Amino acid sequence: MRHELITSVQNPLVKRLHQLLDRKGREEQNRFLVEGAHLVEEALNSGAGVVTVLYDEQREIDPACLRAIEKRQTEIEVVAVSAAVLAKLTETKNPQGIVAEVKKNTRDWQEWMESAANRDYMLLLLDEIQDPGNLGTILRTAEAAGVDGVVLGAGSVDLYNGKVIRSTMGALFRLAVFVRPLPEAIQKVRQQGGRILVSSLKENSLAYHEAAYGGKVALVIGNEGRGVSTQVADLADSYVHIPLYGRAESLNAAVAAGILVYEAQRHRTFPPAN
Amino acid sequence: MRHELITSVQNPLVKRLHQLLDRKGREEQNRFLVEGAHLVEEALNSGAGVVTVLYDEQREIDPACLRAIEKRQTEIEVVAVSAAVLAKLTETKNPQGIVAEVKKNTRDWQEWMESAANRDYMLLLLDEIQDPGNLGTILRTAEAAGVDGVVLGAGSVDLYNGKVIRSTMGALFRLAVFVRPLPEAIQKVRQQGGRILVSSLKENSLAYHEAAYGGKVALVIGNEGRGVSTQVADLADSYVHIPLYGRAESLNAAVAAGILVYEAQRHRTFPPAN
């Protein structure tokens, strides 16, 4: 723990951390910011690479978050700051008085896939998801549904965007998420004998409840407006779609992902009779 | 069509319409605003009670929206305004240059229920949903899933909130939505021999795929944080829940609603074998 109070937004630590509010800064430093007591607590308790915790010295730290800080206090730096400094490092209208600097996830994709070679798995592959709220909600839902891992392809919103992280409700820290080109991930799944199911309204697409989801499987969900890109869709073993009974043109991407991953998990857990 | 240009934000029409950005104004005038070419077009084409369309005189009107305006031009007033006036009447960062004043839906609940007395239906009942994006996405999903009607209970975010309307992607204009106290709606469904399924994590709650969804049925979804209120939950015939396989504490309300209504519709359309 460090006890000197930082009150200047010109402080070098504050200036460096402020850069993490932008994707460029996050990519340069390979770190990101997490705000709010609940998410900071999740980051600490899940063993994420928390480097620094900054808290508003005028406010009480949430007790559960404080316990999480104390458990890891030998590894992390804890810094009291003024409300103005905290405001400089947060994006929400009502910041909760605490923010953490966290190292990006360094889980190794090749290693993870090797370790999974001899068991079944369900992966969720995301192709060019653009909306941070959608991406965060999809990760939250994937974790709840027991998805084994998520692969975020090229051209997506930044995984470490503040709104993505807030929308995950902490799932980001509990889920295996990899940033990889989807064609590469698909090739690896196929090498292991897995099947690729692509969400698509193509003519030969199966209604989502008719598909087979057992064994090793990768489900691919596409961009909010355009769906899965042709390059990725062409790599599918089969196509699935969610029927639209009304006059709606589409479902929200997070809702569609939720319906698909839950259906897949249900088939895996309670295989259909036929 | 009216051709005089309005450039003053002090114009009486502009001042009156500006009040529709607040719930109070919407309740006093019984009207609401819809912004953007796609939603204005949907409102016009679905026969909603459009009163006035205002467009930025410096910008082209989207061709499909213009056709929808022309089809109803004898009933509505079309007014050219300055960009400043339009900005005064819109909430989004990049307004699309067009906004419509629309009368609130006047569909009669008693009449709708009487007309449904001799057929099956699936209603979705929403208890104290707070987030406008969630409510709009739930309505969008309900319409896509072929839900026959939605009842919004007391204590919810305003159905005519701008963000709700934008998140529905037009479903608000195509779906039968009623604002009624849920206990009253539940009593009516039960009088007609319908069953009430409440989403809940109670001990005796069925996994969502094990429930029976045929006949007349009302599915109740609760508040984002607290779930369904005790008063409403006590009126259930059965409880259903979506299993959480990961360590997540909950699903996003719109995702949960999507999984439930799609499962219900699937059971209704393709009844399980057993």
Side-chain angles (χ1 to χ4, degrees):
Chain A
M1 286 245 191
R2 199 165 99 173
H3 291 285
E4 69 211 87
L5 174 70
I6 300 181
T7 57
S8 166
V9 295
Q10 300 302 324
N11 175 288
L13 174 66
V14 177
K15 285 172 83 169
R16 181 177 65 75
L17 295 182
H18 178 71
Q19 292 169 354
L20 299 181
L21 292 177
D22 291 321
R23 184 170 189 157
K24 184 166 167 284
R26 291 190 291 269
E27 283 173 359
E28 281 168 4
Q29 299 185 40
N30 226 19
R31 296 176 180 191
F32 62 104
L33 294 179
V34 168
E35 71 182 81
H38 186 68
L39 283 173
V40 171
E41 179 197 339
E42 282 281 350
L44 288 162
N45 285 341
S46 66
V50 177
V51 181
T52 318
V53 173
L54 300 98
Y55 66 96
D56 180 342
E57 52 107 22
Q58 304 263 11
R59 294 171 64 170
E60 295 264 327
I61 300 179
D62 169 83
C65 185
L66 188 59
R67 281 193 298 277
I69 292 170
E70 285 167 353
K71 264 193 277 178
R72 294 186 58 187
Q73 62 183 319
T74 56
E75 323 151 50
I76 63 177
E77 195 163 17
V78 182
V79 185
V81 300
S82 64
V85 166
L86 208 76
K88 179 93 180 170
L89 301 178
T90 50
E91 291 171 329
T92 55
K93 281 185 211 153
N94 303 301
Q96 294 178 57
I98 194 156
V99 67
E101 175 195 15
V102 184
K103 287 183 193 162
K104 285 188 182 179
N105 155 19
T106 55
R107 226 180 235 114
D108 188 83
W109 158 253
Q110 300 295 350
E111 205 173 280
W112 193 91
M113 284 299 282
E114 293 315 322
S115 76
N118 298 311
R119 57 179 170 86
D120 288 344
Y121 53 73
M122 169 165 55
L123 294 177
L124 181 63
L125 276 48
L126 302 175
D127 189 31
E128 302 187 17
I129 298 291
Q130 294 302 306
D131 180 81
N134 279 344
L135 177 56
T137 304
I138 291 172
L139 296 177
R140 174 183 177 186
T141 309
E143 197 258 350
V147 165
D148 297 290
V150 175
V151 183
L152 190 65
S156 300
V157 60
D158 183 20
L159 177 60
Y160 300 99
N161 170 301
K163 180 147 191 215
V164 171
I165 294 169
R166 292 192 295 281
S167 303
T168 67
M169 301 288 276
L172 177 66
F173 303 117
R174 302 187 296 258
L175 190 62
V177 185
F178 306 96
V179 179
R180 309 294 299 181
L182 296 191
E184 178 205 304
I186 287 172
Q187 194 190 15
K188 189 77 190 170
V189 170
R190 189 164 285 144
Q191 277 172 5
Q192 296 191 343
R195 279 169 322 105
I196 316 301
L197 272 71
V198 168
S199 168
S200 162
L201 295 169
K202 274 175 193 269
E203 263 178 42
N204 58 347
S205 171
L206 293 166
Y208 72 114
H209 60 272
E210 297 172 333
Y213 295 96
K216 289 179 165 67
V217 67
L219 275 176
V220 189
I221 306 270
N223 173 274
E224 291 90 342
R226 298 184 305 277
V228 175
S229 61
T230 311
Q231 188 206 4
V232 171
D234 285 349
L235 302 173
D237 291 301
S238 36
Y239 300 99
V240 295
H241 71 275
I242 300 170
L244 298 171
Y245 296 94
R247 284 196 288 136
E249 288 158 26
S250 65
L251 291 167
N252 166 276
V255 170
I259 293 169
L260 281 183
V261 295
Y262 260 93
E263 183 69 8
Q265 187 60 278
R266 191 162 69 81
H267 278 240
R268 297 169 73 82
T269 314
F270 309 98
N274 53 326
Chain B
M1 285 249 191
R2 200 166 100 173
H3 291 285
E4 69 211 86
L5 173 71
I6 300 180
T7 57
S8 166
V9 295
Q10 299 303 323
N11 175 288
L13 175 66
V14 177
K15 284 172 84 169
R16 180 176 66 75
L17 295 183
H18 178 71
Q19 292 169 355
L20 299 181
L21 292 177
D22 291 320
R23 183 170 190 159
K24 184 166 167 283
R26 293 191 290 269
E27 284 172 358
E28 282 168 3
Q29 299 185 40
N30 224 20
R31 295 177 179 189
F32 62 104
L33 294 178
V34 168
E35 72 181 82
H38 186 69
L39 282 174
V40 170
E41 179 198 339
E42 282 280 350
L44 288 162
N45 285 341
S46 66
V50 178
V51 181
T52 318
V53 172
L54 300 97
Y55 65 96
D56 181 343
E57 52 108 21
Q58 304 262 12
R59 295 172 63 171
E60 295 264 328
I61 300 180
D62 169 83
C65 186
L66 188 59
R67 281 193 298 277
I69 291 170
E70 285 166 354
K71 265 193 277 176
R72 293 186 58 187
Q73 60 182 320
T74 57
E75 323 152 48
I76 62 175
E77 196 163 17
V78 183
V79 185
V81 301
S82 64
V85 166
L86 209 76
K88 179 94 179 168
L89 300 178
T90 49
E91 290 171 330
T92 54
K93 281 185 211 152
N94 303 301
Q96 294 179 56
I98 194 156
V99 68
E101 175 195 15
V102 184
K103 287 183 193 163
K104 286 188 182 178
N105 154 21
T106 54
R107 225 180 236 113
D108 188 83
W109 158 254
Q110 299 294 350
E111 206 174 277
W112 193 91
M113 283 300 282
E114 292 315 321
S115 76
N118 297 311
R119 57 178 170 87
D120 288 345
Y121 53 73
M122 168 165 56
L123 294 176
L124 181 63
L125 276 47
L126 302 175
D127 190 30
E128 302 187 16
I129 298 291
Q130 294 302 305
D131 180 81
N134 280 345
L135 177 57
T137 304
I138 291 172
L139 296 177
R140 175 183 177 186
T141 310
E143 198 258 350
V147 164
D148 298 289
V150 174
V151 183
L152 189 65
S156 300
V157 59
D158 183 21
L159 177 59
Y160 300 99
N161 171 301
K163 179 146 192 216
V164 171
I165 295 169
R166 291 191 296 281
S167 303
T168 67
M169 301 287 276
L172 177 65
F173 303 118
R174 301 187 297 258
L175 190 62
V177 185
F178 305 97
V179 179
R180 308 295 298 181
L182 296 192
E184 179 204 303
I186 287 172
Q187 194 189 14
K188 190 77 190 171
V189 171
R190 190 164 284 144
Q191 276 171 7
Q192 298 192 343
R195 279 169 321 106
I196 316 300
L197 271 71
V198 168
S199 168
S200 161
L201 295 169
K202 274 176 193 269
E203 262 178 44
N204 57 346
S205 172
L206 293 166
Y208 72 113
H209 60 274
E210 298 172 333
Y213 295 97
K216 289 179 165 65
V217 67
L219 276 176
V220 190
I221 306 271
N223 173 275
E224 291 90 343
R226 298 184 303 276
V228 175
S229 61
T230 310
Q231 188 207 2
V232 171
D234 285 349
L235 302 173
D237 291 301
S238 36
Y239 300 99
V240 295
H241 71 275
I242 301 170
L244 298 170
Y245 297 94
R247 284 196 287 138
E249 287 157 27
S250 64
L251 290 167
N252 167 275
V255 171
I259 294 169
L260 280 183
V261 296
Y262 260 93
E263 182 69 8
Q265 187 60 278
R266 191 162 69 80
H267 278 239
R268 297 169 73 83
T269 314
F270 309 97
N274 55 327

PDB file of all heavy atoms in Angstrom, chain A residues 134-162:
ATOM      1  N   ASN A 134     -23.205  -4.749 -26.774  1.00  0.00           N
ATOM      2  CA  ASN A 134     -23.484  -6.090 -27.302  1.00  0.00           C
ATOM      3  C   ASN A 134     -22.354  -7.057 -26.969  1.00  0.00           C
ATOM      4  O   ASN A 134     -22.597  -8.167 -26.513  1.00  0.00           O
ATOM      5  CB  ASN A 134     -23.654  -6.047 -28.828  1.00  0.00           C
ATOM      6  CG  ASN A 134     -25.036  -5.588 -29.249  1.00  0.00           C
ATOM      7  OD1 ASN A 134     -25.974  -5.565 -28.450  1.00  0.00           O
ATOM      8  ND2 ASN A 134     -25.174  -5.208 -30.503  1.00  0.00           N
ATOM      9  N   LEU A 135     -21.102  -6.645 -27.225  1.00  0.00           N
ATOM     10  CA  LEU A 135     -19.987  -7.555 -26.966  1.00  0.00           C
ATOM     11  C   LEU A 135     -19.936  -7.941 -25.482  1.00  0.00           C
ATOM     12  O   LEU A 135     -19.811  -9.120 -25.142  1.00  0.00           O
ATOM     13  CB  LEU A 135     -18.653  -6.945 -27.400  1.00  0.00           C
ATOM     14  CG  LEU A 135     -17.430  -7.817 -27.095  1.00  0.00           C
ATOM     15  CD1 LEU A 135     -17.541  -9.211 -27.718  1.00  0.00           C
ATOM     16  CD2 LEU A 135     -16.133  -7.144 -27.556  1.00  0.00           C
ATOM     17  N   GLY A 136     -20.078  -6.943 -24.598  1.00  0.00           N
ATOM     18  CA  GLY A 136     -20.032  -7.236 -23.169  1.00  0.00           C
ATOM     19  C   GLY A 136     -21.154  -8.177 -22.753  1.00  0.00           C
ATOM     20  O   GLY A 136     -20.934  -9.137 -22.001  1.00  0.00           O
ATOM     21  N   THR A 137     -22.353  -7.917 -23.267  1.00  0.00           N
ATOM     22  CA  THR A 137     -23.501  -8.756 -22.904  1.00  0.00           C
ATOM     23  C   THR A 137     -23.334 -10.169 -23.462  1.00  0.00           C
ATOM     24  O   THR A 137     -23.701 -11.153 -22.815  1.00  0.00           O
ATOM     25  CB  THR A 137     -24.813  -8.111 -23.402  1.00  0.00           C
ATOM     26  OG1 THR A 137     -24.900  -6.791 -22.858  1.00  0.00           O
ATOM     27  CG2 THR A 137     -26.030  -8.903 -22.962  1.00  0.00           C
ATOM     28  N   ILE A 138     -22.745 -10.294 -24.648  1.00  0.00           N
ATOM     29  CA  ILE A 138     -22.496 -11.627 -25.212  1.00  0.00           C
ATOM     30  C   ILE A 138     -21.508 -12.394 -24.327  1.00  0.00           C
ATOM     31  O   ILE A 138     -21.695 -13.580 -24.041  1.00  0.00           O
ATOM     32  CB  ILE A 138     -21.970 -11.524 -26.668  1.00  0.00           C
ATOM     33  CG1 ILE A 138     -23.087 -11.020 -27.593  1.00  0.00           C
ATOM     34  CG2 ILE A 138     -21.439 -12.873 -27.158  1.00  0.00           C
ATOM     35  CD1 ILE A 138     -22.630 -10.699 -29.019  1.00  0.00           C
ATOM     36  N   LEU A 139     -20.466 -11.726 -23.845  1.00  0.00           N
ATOM     37  CA  LEU A 139     -19.492 -12.414 -22.978  1.00  0.00           C
ATOM     38  C   LEU A 139     -20.156 -12.827 -21.661  1.00  0.00           C
ATOM     39  O   LEU A 139     -19.949 -13.937 -21.165  1.00  0.00           O
ATOM     40  CB  LEU A 139     -18.275 -11.521 -22.718  1.00  0.00           C
ATOM     41  CG  LEU A 139     -17.445 -11.172 -23.962  1.00  0.00           C
ATOM     42  CD1 LEU A 139     -16.312 -10.216 -23.600  1.00  0.00           C
ATOM     43  CD2 LEU A 139     -16.876 -12.424 -24.621  1.00  0.00           C
ATOM     44  N   ARG A 140     -20.969 -11.925 -21.106  1.00  0.00           N
ATOM     45  CA  ARG A 140     -21.702 -12.242 -19.866  1.00  0.00           C
ATOM     46  C   ARG A 140     -22.586 -13.466 -20.079  1.00  0.00           C
ATOM     47  O   ARG A 140     -22.625 -14.388 -19.255  1.00  0.00           O
ATOM     48  CB  ARG A 140     -22.566 -11.022 -19.500  1.00  0.00           C
ATOM     49  CG  ARG A 140     -23.495 -11.242 -18.316  1.00  0.00           C
ATOM     50  CD  ARG A 140     -24.344  -9.991 -18.092  1.00  0.00           C
ATOM     51  NE  ARG A 140     -25.296 -10.167 -17.008  1.00  0.00           N
ATOM     52  CZ  ARG A 140     -26.238  -9.276 -16.689  1.00  0.00           C
ATOM     53  NH1 ARG A 140     -26.342  -8.135 -17.366  1.00  0.00           N
ATOM     54  NH2 ARG A 140     -27.068  -9.507 -15.687  1.00  0.00           N
ATOM     55  N   THR A 141     -23.284 -13.515 -21.213  1.00  0.00           N
ATOM     56  CA  THR A 141     -24.203 -14.613 -21.500  1.00  0.00           C
ATOM     57  C   THR A 141     -23.435 -15.903 -21.770  1.00  0.00           C
ATOM     58  O   THR A 141     -23.835 -16.982 -21.323  1.00  0.00           O
ATOM     59  CB  THR A 141     -25.067 -14.253 -22.727  1.00  0.00           C
ATOM     60  OG1 THR A 141     -25.654 -12.969 -22.526  1.00  0.00           O
ATOM     61  CG2 THR A 141     -26.162 -15.282 -22.944  1.00  0.00           C
ATOM     62  N   ALA A 142     -22.320 -15.795 -22.492  1.00  0.00           N
ATOM     63  CA  ALA A 142     -21.514 -16.979 -22.815  1.00  0.00           C
ATOM     64  C   ALA A 142     -21.010 -17.642 -21.536  1.00  0.00           C
ATOM     65  O   ALA A 142     -21.051 -18.861 -21.393  1.00  0.00           O
ATOM     66  CB  ALA A 142     -20.336 -16.582 -23.705  1.00  0.00           C
ATOM     67  N   GLU A 143     -20.570 -16.813 -20.604  1.00  0.00           N
ATOM     68  CA  GLU A 143     -20.059 -17.380 -19.351  1.00  0.00           C
ATOM     69  C   GLU A 143     -21.197 -18.050 -18.583  1.00  0.00           C
ATOM     70  O   GLU A 143     -21.055 -19.155 -18.062  1.00  0.00           O
ATOM     71  CB  GLU A 143     -19.388 -16.287 -18.514  1.00  0.00           C
ATOM     72  CG  GLU A 143     -18.482 -16.823 -17.419  1.00  0.00           C
ATOM     73  CD  GLU A 143     -19.105 -16.778 -16.043  1.00  0.00           C
ATOM     74  OE1 GLU A 143     -20.165 -16.162 -15.861  1.00  0.00           O
ATOM     75  OE2 GLU A 143     -18.522 -17.373 -15.121  1.00  0.00           O
ATOM     76  N   ALA A 144     -22.355 -17.384 -18.531  1.00  0.00           N
ATOM     77  CA  ALA A 144     -23.517 -17.948 -17.825  1.00  0.00           C
ATOM     78  C   ALA A 144     -23.950 -19.263 -18.457  1.00  0.00           C
ATOM     79  O   ALA A 144     -24.389 -20.186 -17.764  1.00  0.00           O
ATOM     80  CB  ALA A 144     -24.670 -16.950 -17.842  1.00  0.00           C
ATOM     81  N   ALA A 145     -23.831 -19.356 -19.775  1.00  0.00           N
ATOM     82  CA  ALA A 145     -24.283 -20.552 -20.497  1.00  0.00           C
ATOM     83  C   ALA A 145     -23.247 -21.675 -20.469  1.00  0.00           C
ATOM     84  O   ALA A 145     -23.479 -22.737 -21.024  1.00  0.00           O
ATOM     85  CB  ALA A 145     -24.607 -20.192 -21.949  1.00  0.00           C
ATOM     86  N   GLY A 146     -22.109 -21.425 -19.849  1.00  0.00           N
ATOM     87  CA  GLY A 146     -21.099 -22.469 -19.764  1.00  0.00           C
ATOM     88  C   GLY A 146     -20.303 -22.681 -21.042  1.00  0.00           C
ATOM     89  O   GLY A 146     -19.776 -23.769 -21.278  1.00  0.00           O
ATOM     90  N   VAL A 147     -20.218 -21.655 -21.872  1.00  0.00           N
ATOM     91  CA  VAL A 147     -19.354 -21.731 -23.059  1.00  0.00           C
ATOM     92  C   VAL A 147     -17.908 -21.905 -22.568  1.00  0.00           C
ATOM     93  O   VAL A 147     -17.501 -21.300 -21.578  1.00  0.00           O
ATOM     94  CB  VAL A 147     -19.520 -20.437 -23.903  1.00  0.00           C
ATOM     95  CG1 VAL A 147     -18.411 -20.277 -24.922  1.00  0.00           C
ATOM     96  CG2 VAL A 147     -20.892 -20.431 -24.585  1.00  0.00           C
ATOM     97  N   ASP A 148     -17.131 -22.754 -23.251  1.00  0.00           N
ATOM     98  CA  ASP A 148     -15.775 -23.030 -22.769  1.00  0.00           C
ATOM     99  C   ASP A 148     -14.773 -21.948 -23.124  1.00  0.00           C
ATOM    100  O   ASP A 148     -13.801 -21.744 -22.401  1.00  0.00           O
ATOM    101  CB  ASP A 148     -15.312 -24.385 -23.311  1.00  0.00           C
ATOM    102  CG  ASP A 148     -16.189 -25.513 -22.797  1.00  0.00           C
ATOM    103  OD1 ASP A 148     -16.102 -25.809 -21.589  1.00  0.00           O
ATOM    104  OD2 ASP A 148     -16.994 -26.051 -23.569  1.00  0.00           O
ATOM    105  N   GLY A 149     -14.991 -21.269 -24.242  1.00  0.00           N
ATOM    106  CA  GLY A 149     -14.074 -20.201 -24.623  1.00  0.00           C
ATOM    107  C   GLY A 149     -14.691 -19.346 -25.712  1.00  0.00           C
ATOM    108  O   GLY A 149     -15.587 -19.797 -26.436  1.00  0.00           O
ATOM    109  N   VAL A 150     -14.223 -18.116 -25.810  1.00  0.00           N
ATOM    110  CA  VAL A 150     -14.715 -17.185 -26.824  1.00  0.00           C
ATOM    111  C   VAL A 150     -13.523 -16.702 -27.644  1.00  0.00           C
ATOM    112  O   VAL A 150     -12.468 -16.405 -27.085  1.00  0.00           O
ATOM    113  CB  VAL A 150     -15.422 -15.969 -26.172  1.00  0.00           C
ATOM    114  CG1 VAL A 150     -15.824 -14.938 -27.220  1.00  0.00           C
ATOM    115  CG2 VAL A 150     -16.647 -16.411 -25.370  1.00  0.00           C
ATOM    116  N   VAL A 151     -13.699 -16.647 -28.962  1.00  0.00           N
ATOM    117  CA  VAL A 151     -12.670 -16.081 -29.827  1.00  0.00           C
ATOM    118  C   VAL A 151     -13.240 -14.841 -30.500  1.00  0.00           C
ATOM    119  O   VAL A 151     -14.291 -14.893 -31.137  1.00  0.00           O
ATOM    120  CB  VAL A 151     -12.204 -17.085 -30.900  1.00  0.00           C
ATOM    121  CG1 VAL A 151     -11.083 -16.465 -31.740  1.00  0.00           C
ATOM    122  CG2 VAL A 151     -11.745 -18.386 -30.257  1.00  0.00           C
ATOM    123  N   LEU A 152     -12.558 -13.729 -30.287  1.00  0.00           N
ATOM    124  CA  LEU A 152     -12.960 -12.460 -30.882  1.00  0.00           C
ATOM    125  C   LEU A 152     -12.094 -12.260 -32.122  1.00  0.00           C
ATOM    126  O   LEU A 152     -10.873 -12.171 -32.019  1.00  0.00           O
ATOM    127  CB  LEU A 152     -12.716 -11.364 -29.845  1.00  0.00           C
ATOM    128  CG  LEU A 152     -13.257  -9.973 -30.129  1.00  0.00           C
ATOM    129  CD1 LEU A 152     -14.774  -9.992 -30.172  1.00  0.00           C
ATOM    130  CD2 LEU A 152     -12.783  -9.000 -29.040  1.00  0.00           C
ATOM    131  N   GLY A 153     -12.757 -12.190 -33.290  1.00  0.00           N
ATOM    132  CA  GLY A 153     -12.022 -12.060 -34.550  1.00  0.00           C
ATOM    133  C   GLY A 153     -11.559 -10.641 -34.809  1.00  0.00           C
ATOM    134  O   GLY A 153     -11.801  -9.734 -34.026  1.00  0.00           O
ATOM    135  N   ALA A 154     -10.904 -10.463 -35.945  1.00  0.00           N
ATOM    136  CA  ALA A 154     -10.440  -9.135 -36.340  1.00  0.00           C
ATOM    137  C   ALA A 154     -11.649  -8.237 -36.639  1.00  0.00           C
ATOM    138  O   ALA A 154     -12.731  -8.728 -36.954  1.00  0.00           O
ATOM    139  CB  ALA A 154      -9.568  -9.258 -37.584  1.00  0.00           C
ATOM    140  N   GLY A 155     -11.448  -6.933 -36.550  1.00  0.00           N
ATOM    141  CA  GLY A 155     -12.494  -5.988 -36.924  1.00  0.00           C
ATOM    142  C   GLY A 155     -13.584  -5.808 -35.902  1.00  0.00           C
ATOM    143  O   GLY A 155     -14.635  -5.236 -36.194  1.00  0.00           O
ATOM    144  N   SER A 156     -13.361  -6.291 -34.668  1.00  0.00           N
ATOM    145  CA  SER A 156     -14.351  -6.122 -33.602  1.00  0.00           C
ATOM    146  C   SER A 156     -14.022  -4.889 -32.777  1.00  0.00           C
ATOM    147  O   SER A 156     -12.911  -4.374 -32.812  1.00  0.00           O
ATOM    148  CB  SER A 156     -14.323  -7.323 -32.660  1.00  0.00           C
ATOM    149  OG  SER A 156     -14.613  -8.501 -33.363  1.00  0.00           O
ATOM    150  N   VAL A 157     -15.005  -4.436 -32.013  1.00  0.00           N
ATOM    151  CA  VAL A 157     -14.757  -3.415 -31.008  1.00  0.00           C
ATOM    152  C   VAL A 157     -13.699  -3.963 -30.043  1.00  0.00           C
ATOM    153  O   VAL A 157     -13.570  -5.179 -29.865  1.00  0.00           O
ATOM    154  CB  VAL A 157     -16.083  -3.063 -30.283  1.00  0.00           C
ATOM    155  CG1 VAL A 157     -16.692  -4.262 -29.585  1.00  0.00           C
ATOM    156  CG2 VAL A 157     -15.892  -1.924 -29.295  1.00  0.00           C
ATOM    157  N   ASP A 158     -12.908  -3.073 -29.438  1.00  0.00           N
ATOM    158  CA  ASP A 158     -11.836  -3.500 -28.526  1.00  0.00           C
ATOM    159  C   ASP A 158     -12.417  -4.224 -27.305  1.00  0.00           C
ATOM    160  O   ASP A 158     -13.283  -3.707 -26.609  1.00  0.00           O
ATOM    161  CB  ASP A 158     -11.050  -2.260 -28.070  1.00  0.00           C
ATOM    162  CG  ASP A 158      -9.869  -2.616 -27.177  1.00  0.00           C
ATOM    163  OD1 ASP A 158      -9.423  -3.776 -27.197  1.00  0.00           O
ATOM    164  OD2 ASP A 158      -9.394  -1.710 -26.457  1.00  0.00           O
ATOM    165  N   LEU A 159     -11.899  -5.413 -27.060  1.00  0.00           N
ATOM    166  CA  LEU A 159     -12.329  -6.213 -25.905  1.00  0.00           C
ATOM    167  C   LEU A 159     -12.181  -5.443 -24.592  1.00  0.00           C
ATOM    168  O   LEU A 159     -12.921  -5.674 -23.628  1.00  0.00           O
ATOM    169  CB  LEU A 159     -11.474  -7.488 -25.864  1.00  0.00           C
ATOM    170  CG  LEU A 159     -11.649  -8.467 -24.729  1.00  0.00           C
ATOM    171  CD1 LEU A 159     -13.072  -9.005 -24.692  1.00  0.00           C
ATOM    172  CD2 LEU A 159     -10.678  -9.637 -24.872  1.00  0.00           C
ATOM    173  N   TYR A 160     -11.223  -4.523 -24.544  1.00  0.00           N
ATOM    174  CA  TYR A 160     -10.911  -3.826 -23.283  1.00  0.00           C
ATOM    175  C   TYR A 160     -11.513  -2.431 -23.211  1.00  0.00           C
ATOM    176  O   TYR A 160     -11.165  -1.638 -22.332  1.00  0.00           O
ATOM    177  CB  TYR A 160      -9.395  -3.808 -23.070  1.00  0.00           C
ATOM    178  CG  TYR A 160      -8.827  -5.200 -22.985  1.00  0.00           C
ATOM    179  CD1 TYR A 160      -8.216  -5.806 -24.077  1.00  0.00           C
ATOM    180  CD2 TYR A 160      -8.969  -5.944 -21.813  1.00  0.00           C
ATOM    181  CE1 TYR A 160      -7.728  -7.104 -24.014  1.00  0.00           C
ATOM    182  CE2 TYR A 160      -8.481  -7.244 -21.734  1.00  0.00           C
ATOM    183  CZ  TYR A 160      -7.862  -7.806 -22.833  1.00  0.00           C
ATOM    184  OH  TYR A 160      -7.386  -9.089 -22.750  1.00  0.00           O
ATOM    185  N   ASN A 161     -12.426  -2.120 -24.116  1.00  0.00           N
ATOM    186  CA  ASN A 161     -13.224  -0.897 -24.079  1.00  0.00           C
ATOM    187  C   ASN A 161     -14.010  -0.879 -22.752  1.00  0.00           C
ATOM    188  O   ASN A 161     -14.529  -1.908 -22.315  1.00  0.00           O
ATOM    189  CB  ASN A 161     -14.166  -0.987 -25.300  1.00  0.00           C
ATOM    190  CG  ASN A 161     -15.251   0.065 -25.322  1.00  0.00           C
ATOM    191  OD1 ASN A 161     -16.064   0.163 -24.417  1.00  0.00           O
ATOM    192  ND2 ASN A 161     -15.275   0.846 -26.385  1.00  0.00           N
ATOM    193  N   GLY A 162     -14.097   0.287 -22.120  1.00  0.00           N
ATOM    194  CA  GLY A 162     -14.738   0.386 -20.805  1.00  0.00           C
ATOM    195  C   GLY A 162     -16.174  -0.116 -20.797  1.00  0.00           C
ATOM    196  O   GLY A 162     -16.598  -0.795 -19.851  1.00  0.00           O
TER     197      GLY A 162
END
